[in-house]
Amino acid sequence: MHIPSLVAMAIAPGLFWLWYFYRRDQFEPEPRLLVVKVFLLGMLVTIPVALLEGLLPVSALVLAVLFAPIIEEGAKFAIVTRSVYTRPEFNETMDGIVYAVTGALGFASIENILYILTAYFTSPLEDLLVIYTMRAILSVPGHALFASVWGYALGRAKCDPEAPRGTIALGLGLAMIL
């Protein structure tokens, strides 16, 4: 297999799920340029997150269960709140979900590339196919699902004057726990 083919395969699930969620925003779809921007920011934030997680002196289990959810959801949350949350286009609850999922799918796409290329260079072909399949079916949609929790909270807090106080913190905390 060629590296460009592997990279395309690694990004394909993220692009599929981005298309799927973007199509769900039927009343007032978000500007495509902003969606692309958030997707790219999600991709970019993956690198410092991976470096930070790699520096933590903890076991893989402790990293996966305790630190990764906090660091990863926090990073994705930060890109959405700093890039589009205050923009006038972010004007309905669904927008929070769309932008959160978009950033998460950009993140998951780069994470996929890292996992797939690592498996390609270090594992038999069968392992590569298993890793790809599991990530496409579980990890990529998982990132979108977890981010949609805090995305909904973000959208509700911004667009619903009756949203309970602490909605955003509750949504972000719940996504990290999930």
Side-chain angles (χ1 to χ4, degrees):
M1 290 189 140
H2 294 89
I3 301 299
S5 299
L6 290 171
V7 169
M9 283 177 50
I11 293 175
L15 293 176
F16 167 77
W17 287 110
L18 177 60
W19 169 82
Y20 176 82
F21 281 101
Y22 184 78
R23 302 273 299 152
R24 297 293 154 293
D25 189 10
Q26 296 177 353
F27 297 114
E28 189 180 325
E30 296 313 293
R32 287 187 179 138
L33 223 66
L34 278 181
V35 171
V36 169
K37 175 184 177 180
V38 173
F39 187 82
L40 293 173
L41 287 171
M43 294 175 100
L44 278 174
V45 80
T46 309
I47 304 305
V49 164
L51 293 172
L52 177 61
E53 290 176 351
L55 293 173
L56 292 174
V58 297
S59 70
L61 178 63
V62 171
L63 177 65
V65 173
L66 184 62
F67 290 104
I70 294 168
I71 294 168
E72 293 178 11
E73 293 308 317
K76 292 179 277 188
F77 178 81
I79 64 161
V80 171
T81 55
R82 293 194 172 132
S83 66
V84 292
Y85 185 67
T86 59
R87 294 185 62 106
E89 294 88 346
F90 192 124
N91 58 2
E92 59 183 0
T93 302
M94 183 66 181
D95 297 350
I97 296 170
V98 169
Y99 289 123
V101 165
T102 299
L105 291 171
F107 183 95
S109 293
I110 291 295
E111 198 177 61
N112 259 7
I113 291 171
L114 296 173
Y115 277 101
I116 298 302
L117 290 179
T118 299
Y120 175 73
F121 288 115
T122 63
S123 304
L125 181 60
E126 298 80 33
D127 290 353
L128 173 66
L129 295 174
V130 169
I131 289 168
Y132 175 77
T133 303
M134 296 306 288
R135 289 201 55 81
I137 294 171
L138 299 174
S139 297
V140 175
H143 275 286
L145 175 66
F146 304 143
S148 70
V149 173
W150 61 257
Y152 169 77
L154 204 58
R156 181 151 183 235
K158 183 171 184 182
C159 301
D160 181 359
E162 296 180 21
R165 200 178 152 139
T167 296
I168 296 172
L170 180 64
L172 184 56
L174 182 57
M176 291 173 179
I177 291 168
L178 290 173

